């Protein structure tokens, strides 16, 4: 057998070996450490009529289809804080969110002698501990975004503002992309927005 034939046979064998390796490769998003993990299905968000009293703050808008909810979502309502507080607590409990703490910002400012400050400014720290595991297990640095924040204050017109910082803002700081965590955070965006819309529409 000539050298050229030997070389041809070797190259052919090498090519078959490579093609065998390539066809055996498989791409999977499955988490081997978690048998209950499945890649998320596409979620279709039904567009509802926009609340006329709602506004959002979103300095860097992402893709229009995906960016349904602004980073900071607020609704203005003619309601007392006491009434809003009762409705908010009830709606959060019904949706299985736990209030960890309420920070009474206005009260603290008044104790410092500040009289020219916003009335009824409060921050509710809320979470779902059952989902927190999936959000934080691969990205512990996201604990700075959990619990989530819902807040209130009275604006210059004397109307109560109820708002939130969108939970999925944490995705921007995710070092290890985790599809299950992203799905949960986006689901919480919608749930908290719906709670705010619900209590301010009464």
């Amino acid at each position: 057998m000539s050298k050229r034939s030997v070389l041809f046979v070797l190259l052919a064998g090498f090519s078959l070996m490579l093609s065998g390796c390539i066809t055996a490769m498989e791409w999977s998003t499955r988490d081997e450490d978690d048998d209950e993990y499945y890649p998320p299905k596409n979620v279709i968000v039904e567009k509802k009529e926009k609340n006329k009293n709602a506004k959002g703050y979103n300095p860097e808008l992402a893709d229009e289809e995906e960016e349904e909810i602004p980073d900071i979502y607020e609704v203005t309502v003619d309601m007392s804080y006491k009434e809003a507080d009762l409705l908010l607590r009830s709606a959060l409990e019904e949706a299985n969110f736990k209030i960890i703490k309420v920070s009474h910002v206005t009260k603290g400012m008044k104790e410092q002698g500040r009289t020219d400050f916003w009335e009824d400014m409060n921050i509710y720290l809320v979470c779902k501990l059952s989902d927190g595991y999936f959000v934080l297990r691969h990205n512990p640095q996201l604990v700075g975004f959990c619990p989530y924040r819902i807040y209130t204050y009275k604006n210059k017109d004397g109307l109560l503002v109820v708002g939130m910082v969108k939970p999925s803002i944490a995705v921007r700081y995710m070092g290890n992309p985790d599809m299950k965590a992203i799905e949960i955070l986006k689901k919480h965006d919608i749930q908290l927005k719906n709670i705010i819309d619900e209590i301010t529409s009464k």
Side-chain angles (χ1 to χ4, degrees):
M1 189 181 284
S2 67
K3 288 183 180 179
R4 185 176 290 180
S5 299
V6 171
L7 186 60
F8 178 77
V9 170
L10 287 174
L11 284 173
F14 186 67
S15 297
L16 284 171
M17 185 177 70
L18 278 179
S19 63
C21 289
I22 290 169
T23 54
M25 287 177 66
E26 182 182 343
W27 179 264
S28 173
T29 56
R30 187 176 177 278
D31 185 343
E32 293 179 4
D33 296 329
D34 181 11
D35 291 335
E36 296 180 7
Y37 178 90
Y38 299 97
K41 295 178 181 176
N42 289 334
V43 178
I44 298 171
V45 180
E46 195 176 310
K47 290 192 177 180
K48 297 181 181 176
E49 191 178 329
K50 212 171 186 182
N51 189 331
K52 292 176 183 176
N53 297 319
K55 65 178 179 178
Y57 300 91
N58 213 2
E60 294 178 8
L61 280 172
D63 184 79
E64 195 175 324
E65 281 185 18
E66 190 174 323
E67 197 65 29
E68 295 269 337
I69 304 169
D71 291 350
I72 297 176
Y73 178 76
E74 293 185 339
V75 179
T76 305
V77 64
D78 189 4
M79 178 187 292
S80 70
Y81 167 67
K82 190 173 181 181
E83 185 183 355
D85 177 65
L86 287 171
L87 290 171
L88 183 58
R89 288 174 184 273
S90 174
L92 285 168
E93 186 179 340
E94 195 174 315
N96 295 318
F97 282 97
K98 179 177 175 60
I99 298 176
I100 295 173
K101 181 180 173 60
V102 181
S103 180
H104 302 286
V105 181
T106 299
K107 184 181 176 184
M109 290 294 181
K110 286 184 176 179
E111 287 172 359
Q112 294 289 322
R114 308 286 183 183
T115 56
D116 58 342
F117 195 70
W118 305 94
E119 291 294 327
D120 295 330
M121 184 174 276
N122 304 280
I123 305 169
Y124 294 77
L125 302 178
V126 303
C127 76
K128 274 192 181 180
L129 289 173
S130 57
D131 288 342
Y133 167 79
F134 295 102
V135 173
L136 298 175
R137 66 182 177 148
H138 296 307
N139 288 276
Q141 75 279 6
L142 297 189
V143 73
F145 296 93
C146 305
Y148 311 134
R149 285 153 181 78
I150 295 178
Y151 59 86
T152 66
Y153 66 89
K154 269 194 179 164
N155 65 15
K156 291 177 181 178
D157 298 322
L159 298 173
L160 189 71
V161 175
V162 183
M164 71 166 187
V165 178
K166 183 172 72 172
S168 68
I169 199 172
V171 172
R172 299 177 191 175
Y173 306 95
M174 193 176 275
N176 299 302
D178 185 330
M179 292 306 294
K180 188 174 182 74
I182 291 169
E183 183 184 21
I184 286 170
L185 289 166
K186 289 189 174 185
K187 179 181 74 175
H188 290 174
D189 288 348
I190 296 166
Q191 289 176 338
L192 292 179
K193 178 187 178 294
N194 288 344
I195 286 171
I196 291 172
D197 288 343
E198 178 193 333
I199 69 168
T200 55
S201 64
K202 294 190 181 293

